[in-house]
């Protein structure tokens, strides 16, 4: 039996898994329905079928995605865990139950404490996005898209810079602070920094929009965009909900970050599809072999970042980029012409040469540039030559 799950325009529309009935679900209730939906699949799918099909609503099944990983009867955290994802989307509800003999007891807050900083950020983002969505539902964000500045070609800009200089195209990061490093720059003027990066030869910019942990904002993104900076902009956010993609585009983003340590495969597939509809580039970030294999299994992915920083422990090791691009994985990347980005911990021309040799054609750099008095001039020091000409 084949069942359709539609992406109606830019909205979700889920069928009830009977071939006749179709139900449209308001995005605000998606999570509730998703849980029910997963149970519905179990109840109604042919036991010999291991997949459902996604298509665009009302049209023939085009670009259908096989979604066998929507394992039946599983909630988000459980599906994620089957893919090796340790980050839970939200705190487990209620403390676990323990037994001593016939007695049952619960420890206050047990299980409801984030296990690491990335999990804490994600839990916080989950609450933040729910509130933002309440204030500005998807319908409103969608309407505001017509006033958004036109989208620019993020991957094209990286490719052009790589071809022009023979060095990796630079995504320079506008970041005031980070959980691992604290405040990076006291006198932080996002537009001044962005303009300096552009002058120094950056191909694209990455703008932190998370307020709580990175002291960034969507206002910074808009200010940079409206100041006439021509470099395409990556909205550096912790994306856990498709609503954020529309919101980022409405604020002038040209690209978004999708973190494989946080998002299960189906979310990545679905979000990449929405990004394409919106004209956004999706930088899908991995930091180990398992995440890389999962992402290489998604054919529509064109831009992959290898983060040399373990976001759970903050450990930095630039040999991560080399290790992941060795052998079969590097071969697949070359065959599919995927643009690879080396991210984090790059401070010297030797570091840049090392990750380029490993196979990246772009780099994402924050700390070593943003800390300089003149961040744009810092680019020449980082690359060992002036790449603005
Ligand atoms: O940098 C952190 O402390 C951090 C913590 C948790 C999640 C993400 C984090 N950083 C994001 C990044 O990976 C960097 O901003 C980016 O790759 C640039 O790195 P760098 O050049 O080392 O500033």
């Amino acid at each position: 039996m084949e069942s359709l799950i539609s992406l109606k325009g830019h909205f979700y529309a889920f069928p009830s898994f009977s071939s006749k009935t179709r139900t449209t679900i308001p995005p605000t209730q998606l999570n509730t329905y998703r849980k029910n939906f997963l149970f519905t699949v179990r109840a109604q799918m042919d036991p010999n079928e291991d997949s459902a099909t996604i298509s665009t609503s009302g049209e023939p099944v085009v670009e259908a995605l096989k979604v066998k990983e929507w394992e039946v009867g599983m909630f988000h955290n459980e599906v994620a865990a089957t893919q090796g994802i340790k980050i839970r989307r939200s705190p487990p509800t209620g403390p676990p139950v323990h037994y001593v003999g016939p007695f049952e007891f619960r420890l206050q807050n047990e299980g409801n404490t984030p296990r690491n900083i990335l999990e804490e950020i994600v839990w916080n983002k989950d609450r933040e996005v729910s509130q933002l969505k309440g204030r500005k539902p998807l319908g409103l964000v969608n309407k505001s898209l017509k006033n958004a500045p036109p989208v620019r070609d993020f991957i094209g800009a990286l490719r052009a810079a790589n071809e022009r200089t023979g060095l990796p195209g630079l995504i320079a990061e506008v970041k005031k602070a980070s959980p691992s490093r604290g405040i990076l720059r006291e006198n932080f003027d996002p537009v001044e920094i962005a303009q300096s990066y552009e002058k120094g030869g950056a191909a694209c910019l990455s703008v932190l929009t998370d307020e709580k942990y990175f002291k960034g904002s969507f206002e910074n993104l808009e200010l940079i965009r409206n100041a006439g900076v021509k470099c395409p902009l990556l909205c550096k956010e912790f994306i856990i909900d498709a609503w954020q993609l529309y919101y980022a585009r409405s604020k002038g983003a040209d690209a978004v970050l999708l973190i494989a340590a946080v998002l299960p495969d189906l979310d990545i597939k679905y979000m990449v599809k929405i990004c394409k509809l919106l004209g956004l580039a999706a930088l899908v970030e991995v930091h180990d072999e398992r995440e890389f294999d999962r992402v290489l299994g998604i054919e529509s992915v064109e831009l992959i970042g290898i983060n040399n920083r373990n976001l759970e422990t903050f450990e930095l090791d630039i040999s991560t980029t080399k290790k992941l691009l060795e052998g079969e994985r590097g071969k697949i990347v070359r065959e599919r012409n995927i643009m690879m980005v080396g991210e984090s911990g790059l401070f010297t021309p030797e570091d840049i040469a090392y990750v380029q040799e490993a196979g990246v054609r772009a780099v994402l750099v924050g700390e070593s540039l943003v800390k300089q008095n003149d961040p744009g001039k810092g680019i020449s020091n980082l690359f060992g030559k002036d790449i603005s000409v």
Side-chain angles (χ1 to χ4, degrees):
M1 174 179 124
E2 190 175 75
S3 305
L4 294 181
I5 310 159
S6 308
L7 305 173
K8 202 172 196 176
H10 294 169
F11 297 92
Y12 306 90
F14 280 43
S16 66
F17 270 80
S18 99
S19 48
K20 294 199 183 98
T21 337
R22 195 174 276 265
T23 318
T24 301
I25 296 170
T28 47
Q29 289 173 30
L30 182 66
N31 279 342
T32 321
Y33 277 85
R34 188 180 254 192
K35 283 167 194 163
N36 293 338
F37 161 74
L38 290 167
F39 283 110
T40 313
V41 180
R42 173 187 268 166
Q44 300 199 14
M45 274 182 76
D46 181 333
N48 297 320
E49 265 285 3
D50 68 349
S51 64
T53 304
I54 290 185
S55 77
T56 37
S57 175
E59 289 159 19
V61 179
V62 267
E63 293 178 67
L65 300 171
K66 287 285 179 189
V67 289
K68 65 173 185 267
E69 66 271 35
W70 277 41
E71 265 128 7
V72 287
M74 295 171 98
F75 289 92
H76 185 281
N77 286 347
E78 291 168 313
V79 173
T82 65
Q83 294 169 20
I85 298 172
K86 289 179 246 136
I87 303 302
R88 296 164 298 173
R89 179 65 53 87
S90 51
T93 44
V97 180
H98 299 268
Y99 295 94
V100 175
F103 302 107
E104 176 185 308
F105 70 96
R106 289 164 195 269
L107 296 177
Q108 201 58 39
N109 284 333
E110 190 182 4
N112 283 342
T113 309
R115 292 190 283 225
N116 54 53
I117 185 67
L118 185 56
E119 192 162 86
E120 185 185 323
I121 294 173
V122 166
W123 291 6
N124 186 67
K125 196 55 70 182
D126 194 45
R127 288 190 294 270
E128 196 181 293
V129 171
S130 304
Q131 285 163 11
L132 277 170
K133 277 166 75 172
R135 287 206 293 275
K136 204 164 178 193
L138 187 57
L140 275 184
V141 182
N142 205 27
K143 273 195 196 126
S144 68
L145 288 181
K146 62 178 184 302
N147 301 321
V151 74
R152 284 106 34 116
D153 183 359
F154 193 87
I155 301 179
L158 292 176
R159 237 179 232 131
N162 177 229
E163 279 161 19
R164 180 175 63 80
T165 63
L167 291 163
L170 172 65
I171 308 169
E173 191 149 277
V174 182
K175 156 166 91 166
K176 177 167 180 163
S178 74
S180 59
R181 295 288 199 255
I183 299 283
L184 293 161
R185 189 181 178 96
E186 285 293 351
N187 61 336
F188 185 83
D189 179 336
V191 171
E192 205 175 86
I193 296 168
Q195 286 169 337
S196 176
Y197 281 156
E198 180 159 69
K199 207 164 144 223
C204 298
L205 306 183
S206 160
V207 183
L208 264 303
T209 51
D210 176 82
E211 294 188 16
K212 183 164 177 179
Y213 298 92
F214 292 85
K215 305 211 177 299
S217 66
F218 277 96
E219 196 196 340
N220 288 354
L221 186 75
E222 281 185 303
L223 283 171
I224 294 170
R225 181 77 211 230
N226 295 337
V229 171
K230 294 201 176 56
C231 296
L233 305 179
L234 169 74
C235 170
K236 193 84 185 293
E237 211 5 295
F238 294 85
I239 292 188
I240 50 168
D241 187 309
W243 178 91
Q244 294 169 278
L245 306 174
Y246 293 84
Y247 191 67
R249 179 77 276 279
S250 77
K251 297 289 179 186
D254 304 293
V256 290
L257 179 74
L258 304 176
I259 304 178
V262 169
L263 298 169
D265 298 0
L266 186 60
D267 282 359
I268 298 177
K269 281 180 197 169
Y270 171 57
M271 288 185 183
V272 167
K273 197 172 167 110
I274 294 178
C275 284
K276 284 199 199 296
L277 287 169
L278 295 174
L280 289 166
L283 172 59
V284 187
E285 180 178 293
V286 302
H287 90 283
D288 64 21
E289 287 87 346
R290 185 162 185 185
E291 289 172 9
F292 200 10
D293 289 343
R294 284 175 43 218
V295 171
L296 287 176
I298 302 171
E299 268 177 32
S300 46
V301 172
E302 296 171 295
L303 180 66
I304 302 180
I306 297 180
N307 202 336
N308 298 308
R309 177 179 285 113
N310 179 329
L311 300 184
E312 294 168 28
T313 63
F314 292 159
E315 247 165 60
L316 262 177
D317 181 359
I318 67 166
S319 72
T320 308
T321 297
K322 185 169 164 17
K323 196 176 67 184
L324 264 60
L325 281 169
E326 271 164 359
E328 192 55 27
R329 296 182 183 94
K331 197 168 149 231
I332 296 171
V333 161
R334 288 189 294 279
E335 278 166 8
R336 290 187 10 208
N337 197 22
I338 295 172
M339 168 69 72
M340 292 301 306
V341 185
E343 301 177 10
S344 302
L346 304 172
F347 289 88
T348 64
E350 290 72 33
D351 294 342
I352 299 293
Y354 178 81
V355 290
Q356 180 172 23
E357 179 64 21
V360 307
R361 285 187 285 153
V363 288
L364 194 160
V365 184
E367 180 179 349
S368 68
L369 297 176
V370 85
K371 278 175 128 178
Q372 309 290 321
N373 280 341
D374 182 337
K377 281 211 183 108
I379 295 176
S380 309
N381 297 335
L382 176 67
F383 281 80
K385 66 183 258 204
D386 182 358
I387 60 160
S388 67
V389 283

